[in-house]
Amino acid sequence: MPGTRALRSRWSTAAAGLLVLAQALTGCGSSGHGGPVTLNWYNFPDDSGALQQAADRCGRQSGGRYTINYNKLPRGADGQRQQLVRRMAAHDTGVDILGLDVTWSAEFAEAGWIREWTGAMKEQATADTLDAAVRTATWQGRLFAAPYNSNTQLLWYRDDLVPNPPGTWSEMLAQADALAKAGKPHYVEIQGAQYEGLTVWFNTLVTSAGGSVLTPDAQAPSLGAPAVLAAQVMHDTATSAAADPSLPNQMEDQNRLAMESGTAAFELNYPFVYPSMKANQPELFKHFRWAPYPAVLPGRPATVTIGGIDLAVGAYGRHPDLAFEATLCLRDRGNQLTNALKGGLPPSLRSLYQAAELTASYPFAADVLAALDTASVRPQTPAYQNVSIAISHALSPPADIQPESTMADVRRQIQDALGSKGLIP
């Protein structure tokens, strides 16, 4: 793609400049003398114990050939990416398996930091795997990661306030307004802070309206009438009775807490809110229900933005064959089931959505699967971080959005972001 040589040149310069950092970061790298090889897996911090359990299980199953050292990345997605970028730019040989947010594969593949999946390994990594999840791990027709878990948002609501869930955003705002006039809990909890969650909200609305953020070749912004409509929905929500006063500062966990406090009637969020409500507010949990994400246009179901983690094999690790094998083990059926039940993360394997063990704890499994089967993918480009920052900055705070003029600004900023072709460290 245009600018690739210049981009690679900057990456090479960064690599040279970070050579000393590489030596410091590698530490007890993935080498073994007379014993099992240690493979270093870098992934998001999991408090449930599911990831550590998977690492231990795969090490035992290897028959003494390798162990997996689970290294916890920072809690925030930006911090996770920053650490991985710095390690890979420094050609860190101690990074064997990388847990990538589903938006990072293109960037890391274009930089040459992760290895392509081919042959039998590719077949195993894609078998029984959700199509949208595979798309997130693919760049320019080549597979660069194995989908680990998926994620999607549903509409969560209280049936003591809303007997019939809304089918569209306009219906939801109307119901919230009626509840407010009746003096009842009425907020719609949604991610309105200036971060990736705001970009996800926008992307879902744009694709649900029949549009896309970028052109098919990812070389230019595509934002037309669907984007203007999406911006209008965001503005209308933020200036309505449905808007939580904290909307401009809210992320997923703040939405969860607000819903659990009893002030909201609706919440657009991920399935982790279900076990949390059950544990923290058993009385409210009796009325906690779910429904498909509201449509932007009547008769056109929403296309909710897919989330999740993809596992990639580092380009500089000393044991790539073992790393590929270990990655397949980490995301196998047993470990994905544990990750779902213990860690609360929806699987990327289709067959698990019919497993009795999952449906017993995930009564909304069919709704999650339906959303994932029609999911939209965020713009796939090595410059995604730049694009996302441009979008979230332009749309913050949502109450200040002026649909036509704001979209004109977003188009210009995205074009500039794509033109830079650079990394934000």
Side-chain angles (χ1 to χ4, degrees), residues 277-298:
M277 179 68 82
K278 184 176 182 179
N280 297 335
Q281 295 290 352
E283 289 303 312
L284 282 180
F285 178 75
K286 296 175 183 177
H287 300 286
F288 198 48
R289 300 292 182 266
W290 61 91
Y293 196 101
V296 173
L297 298 170

Side-chain angles (χ1 to χ4, degrees), residues 43 94 161 180 197 327 329 350 365 372 386 388 397 408 411:
N43 212 332
L161 299 171
T327 299
C329 179
R350 175 177 296 279
L372 291 170
N386 304 34
S388 179
R411 290 187 198 98

